[in-house]
Amino acid sequence: MPADAQFEIYALRYAGPLTSSRALLMWNQGWEERVQRAYFVWCLLGPGGPVLVDSGVAPRYTAGRDLPNYQSPASLLGALGLQAGEVRHVFLTHMHWDHALGISLFPQATVHLHQAEHDFWLGDPLAGRSIFQAVYDPGVSQSLEAARSRGRLNLIREDGEIMPGLTAVAAPGHSPGIMAAAVATAKGLAVMGSDCGHTFRNYAEEWPSIFFCDLRACLRSWDKLKALASSPELLFPGHDLAMSLEFPEIAPGVTRLV
Ligand SMILES: [Zn+2]
């Protein structure tokens, strides 16, 4: 891989912190303990322009949602000198509302999504059951159909490179077709695991949050992602507030991870 096909990785905290029982983030542990988490999108800056990993939530979908200190993911890009219209690629790890309700903010972008995730939420009757609908929003379907009608939906069937330095890696378990982004960086291969682990601790202790649809698949996916990342510190979770607190801050809510 050419040395120039490397990315810097930024975490954009679009909401949070918010507090819950630790048992939400570490399944069935620490019911009485209170812990914090936050909501993020990630921006990869490389030679081919910015790539967003996940899209967050657009302002029009925030009503009734517990999103303290919400800022639009589009406006957070301003801290990196970017406007939403410059984003040509959204790597959508999965279709849960907190990751996929921001697609409409980036109308110039091609949405890269795993076929299995697409087919489950848009085609499997089980997705209509209340336990799945609790983490879904019909606005996601509408946004994806809009991207499809513009010719900007890229459904991924196999692990492989999307562009130099950025590889899609299927990692089911949290949701049926969630995929991680393996990203070439100056520190080695980083893996944006999104909600494969909500926090660094989920990966370290190989213990999921309460949000999984297939526990056996989770375990196999962790093995796969851990083997890929050049070091454990380069395997990034979906909702760990440490991504805001323990990395250099570029602007309020925006930190550089790599
Ligand atoms: Zn999430």
Side-chain angles (χ1 to χ4, degrees), residues 39 94 96 98-99 174 194-195 198 238-239:
Y39 291 96
H94 64 302
H96 288 175
D98 55 320
H99 299 258
H174 169 69
S194 186
D195 287 358
H198 275 57
H239 293 273

Side-chain angles (χ1 to χ4, degrees), residues 27-158:
W27 176 75
N28 206 24
Q29 290 185 10
W31 288 91
E32 309 303 328
E33 211 179 307
R34 305 295 288 173
V35 294
Q36 290 188 306
R37 69 186 193 280
Y39 291 96
F40 295 92
V41 301
W42 300 268
C43 184
L44 314 177
L45 285 186
V51 177
L52 276 199
V53 176
D54 290 337
S55 67
V57 176
R60 64 182 163 129
Y61 293 117
T62 57
R65 301 219 175 258
D66 186 16
L67 293 170
N69 308 310
Y70 171 82
Q71 296 183 76
S72 168
S75 63
L76 283 166
L77 283 173
L80 300 174
L82 296 169
Q83 295 186 338
E86 296 176 68
V87 175
R88 294 289 196 270
H89 299 277
V90 171
F91 184 106
L92 190 64
T93 62
H94 64 302
M95 288 167 62
H96 288 175
W97 67 270
D98 55 320
H99 299 258
L101 276 178
I103 294 167
S104 61
L105 295 170
F106 308 102
Q108 309 300 323
T110 294
V111 178
H112 305 275
L113 174 67
H114 201 282
Q115 179 92 50
E117 184 75 354
H118 169 276
D119 290 356
F120 175 74
W121 291 104
L122 300 183
D124 190 325
L126 279 178
R129 304 285 186 92
S130 57
I131 189 66
F132 279 113
Q133 286 297 305
V135 291
Y136 194 70
D137 188 292
V140 176
S141 312
Q142 292 157 15
S143 301
L144 285 176
E145 290 307 333
R148 195 198 316 270
S149 71
R150 291 193 298 270
R152 292 205 161 99
L153 181 61
N154 175 34
L155 294 176
I156 292 167
R157 292 177 185 81
E158 289 181 0

Side-chain angles (χ1 to χ4, degrees), residues 18-29:
L18 64 172
T19 304
S20 69
S21 167
R22 188 160 79 83
L24 182 128
L25 295 178
M26 296 293 284
W27 176 75
N28 206 24
Q29 290 185 10

Side-chain angles (χ1 to χ4, degrees), residues 206-227:
E206 299 191 349
W207 196 274
S209 75
I210 59 168
F211 301 103
F212 56 83
C213 72
D214 184 335
L215 185 54
R216 293 186 302 170
C218 281
L219 292 165
R220 288 190 289 264
S221 290
W222 291 334
D223 289 345
K224 184 178 180 181
L225 299 185
K226 285 180 164 187

